[in-house]
Amino acid sequence: MSFFNNAKKILRENVREYGMYIALFVIMAIFTITTKGVFISSRNISNLLNQTGYIAVLAVGMTLVIVIRHIDLSVGFLAGFLGAIAAIALAFWGLPVIAVIPLVLALGVVAGLITGFLVAQMKIPSFVATLAGWLIYRGAILVVTESTGTIIIANQAFNDIGNGYIPDIPGLSFLPEMHKLTLLLGIIGIILFIMGQLGDRRKKQSYNFEVLPIDMFVLKLVFVSLLIGGITWLLAGYNGLSWTVVIVLIVVGLYDFVASKTMLGRHIYAIGGNPDAAELSGISVKKMIYVVFGSMGMLSALSGILFAARLQSATTTAGTLFELDAIAAAYVGGVSAAGGVGKVIGSLIGALVMMSLTSGMNLMGIGIAYQYIVRGAVLAAAVIFDVATRSRGK
């Protein structure tokens, strides 16, 4: 009985963090049943993760923007515009991929810093400043693509970013139908996760911080390890890890480390909690706004690269509704509309929830009109959940 009591208590105290994982599990279980297993097939999960990539990258940056109590509506068409710039640089300027990617990322940083200047220095509300950016970048896409319409990208190395898979280990004959390097990376991921959790637990205990009861801690290790192992096994059954997934995992891992383990991350969350108090404590709010929006611009550029590489082209409609998907993923992933609360990993889970809904409803043959209604309802439920948990916390 104590096991179930512990579980109920921990779930109640961490409902914001665990709720999104439960939601993702329920959604995937429902679609697995309604599609007779097609949803959970190796091919569909691989495609789902690749489709999630460009939105997940945006959601990571959007999470930090919302944490500091701002919003960025320009990221969708900025991603589409910079993806078009990458296509032009490859197709018409003849630049190599190794030069194009840093160039586009740098342009993204510059665009983000311009937004940061308008918000931090000119005191323009972020909603208005980024809405202006939304219009400007929408027009910019039309300008750079008006002569050709769709710009075809013939560079295979660039296209592999959105469609390619990591190579397998040569010379191994066991499990011939499986991607061995993906399986190996999954095992390494499980080991690193367990070691990291054990290290965090020991560190908290050394400072007399509260930790999970040992039975709940072991259950968490087992559940997450099985989850990593299951996803790895599915991906290994169909070409293995894609380069898109690798890039997303690197971005999420890096930003999660910065947000949770560094002084920069603590400053960002301090501003989100109370900007005036953060300023009085010596934190430069203006500087943090520049950092967060500059980072958002860079991630928009990366999203544009992933999308252009996946389509192997740049189109006049690239970036449409990306910003709404990113905002929805951030809120579903647990970020608070009031600022100061939200995890980077949550944005990845939120992106998976939103894209799982789209993928599952497509497999079921549900029309696009009803898909928008369902996704809107899920977003509304996430914000209502946030308001309710904050009110209860008070």
Side-chain angles (χ1 to χ4, degrees):
M1 183 63 70
S2 61
F3 175 84
F4 292 105
N5 289 336
N6 284 339
K8 287 174 60 178
K9 179 184 176 184
I10 291 166
L11 183 60
R12 187 169 58 250
E13 292 176 351
N14 300 275
V15 63
R16 178 189 293 274
E17 181 177 351
Y18 295 153
M20 55 190 170
Y21 293 98
I22 295 172
L24 178 60
F25 178 79
V26 170
I27 289 169
M28 297 186 79
I30 290 172
F31 285 133
T32 298
I33 295 170
T34 55
T35 61
K36 299 179 180 179
V38 175
F39 180 85
I40 204 69
S41 65
S42 295
R43 178 188 291 269
N44 190 64
I45 292 299
S46 179
N47 289 335
L48 172 64
L49 293 177
N50 286 340
Q51 291 167 0
T52 303
Y54 61 91
I55 295 300
V57 167
L58 284 179
V60 167
M62 190 64 70
T63 294
L64 297 184
V65 171
I66 297 173
V67 162
I68 64 169
R69 303 186 178 191
H70 288 289
I71 199 71
D72 194 339
L73 301 178
S74 68
V75 297
F77 286 128
L78 175 58
F81 170 64
L82 292 176
I85 293 296
I88 291 170
L90 290 166
F92 301 136
W93 300 346
L95 296 179
V97 174
I98 197 171
V100 169
I101 292 177
L103 171 64
V104 173
L105 293 177
L107 290 175
V109 172
V110 171
L113 291 176
I114 292 173
T115 302
F117 173 79
L118 295 175
V119 175
Q121 205 69 38
M122 304 301 293
K123 303 298 182 183
I124 299 175
S126 59
F127 182 91
V128 177
T130 59
L131 180 59
W134 187 96
L135 293 168
I136 290 169
Y137 298 130
R138 179 69 181 115
I141 294 174
L142 296 176
V143 168
V144 298
T145 60
E146 64 181 352
S147 59
T148 58
T150 299
I151 304 171
I152 303 299
I153 303 174
N155 189 296
Q156 188 59 45
F158 182 84
N159 292 335
D160 281 345
I161 297 173
N163 299 283
Y165 295 83
I166 63 174
D168 201 0
I169 302 173
L172 297 180
S173 58
F174 72 98
L175 295 175
E177 73 282 0
M178 305 298 287
H179 196 276
K180 268 72 73 177
L181 180 56
T182 297
L183 292 175
L184 177 60
L185 291 175
I187 293 171
I188 294 173
I190 292 172
I191 293 172
L192 291 176
F193 167 73
I194 293 175
M195 291 176 60
Q197 290 294 306
L198 291 172
D200 286 344
R201 184 179 177 86
R202 283 195 296 266
K203 186 179 296 184
K204 288 180 180 178
Q205 288 175 328
S206 67
Y207 289 104
N208 294 320
F209 290 166
E210 184 178 356
V211 297
L212 288 174
I214 189 63
D215 53 354
M216 290 292 100
F217 180 71
V218 171
L219 179 63
K220 178 182 178 181
L221 293 183
V222 172
F223 177 78
V224 176
S225 297
L226 289 175
L227 182 64
I228 296 173
I231 294 174
T232 301
W233 184 265
L234 286 172
L235 294 178
Y238 180 75
N239 293 334
L241 277 174
S242 67
W243 287 114
T244 295
V245 173
V246 171
I247 290 170
V248 170
L249 290 176
I250 291 173
V251 169
V252 170
L254 178 62
Y255 273 76
D256 182 65
F257 174 80
V258 170
S260 60
K261 305 291 186 182
T262 67
M263 186 70 72
L264 175 61
R266 287 191 285 274
H267 286 179
I268 289 172
Y269 282 94
I271 291 172
N274 190 324
D276 295 331
E279 190 77 62
L280 291 173
S281 67
I283 299 173
S284 173
V285 175
K286 286 185 179 180
K287 180 180 178 181
M288 289 299 103
I289 290 175
Y290 276 113
V291 169
V292 171
F293 277 99
S295 165
M296 184 75 258
M298 183 186 69
L299 292 178
S300 299
L302 180 57
S303 175
I305 290 171
L306 290 174
F307 188 71
R310 181 163 178 77
L311 292 186
Q312 302 182 29
S313 62
T315 66
T316 56
T317 59
T320 304
L321 297 182
F322 283 14
E323 68 282 349
L324 299 186
D325 286 332
I327 293 169
Y331 279 124
V332 171
V335 72
S336 173
V341 175
K343 291 187 176 182
V344 169
I345 292 179
S347 64
L348 174 60
I349 303 302
L352 284 172
V353 167
M354 299 306 290
M355 296 307 291
S356 293
L357 286 171
T358 301
S359 175
M361 288 188 287
N362 283 335
L363 290 173
M364 291 176 64
I366 296 175
I368 188 67
Y370 293 103
Q371 290 188 29
Y372 279 124
I373 292 171
V374 171
R375 291 165 65 189
V378 169
L379 174 58
V383 178
I384 292 169
F385 178 77
D386 166 54
V387 173
T389 51
R390 280 193 289 114
S391 299
R392 190 174 62 184
K394 293 177 182 179

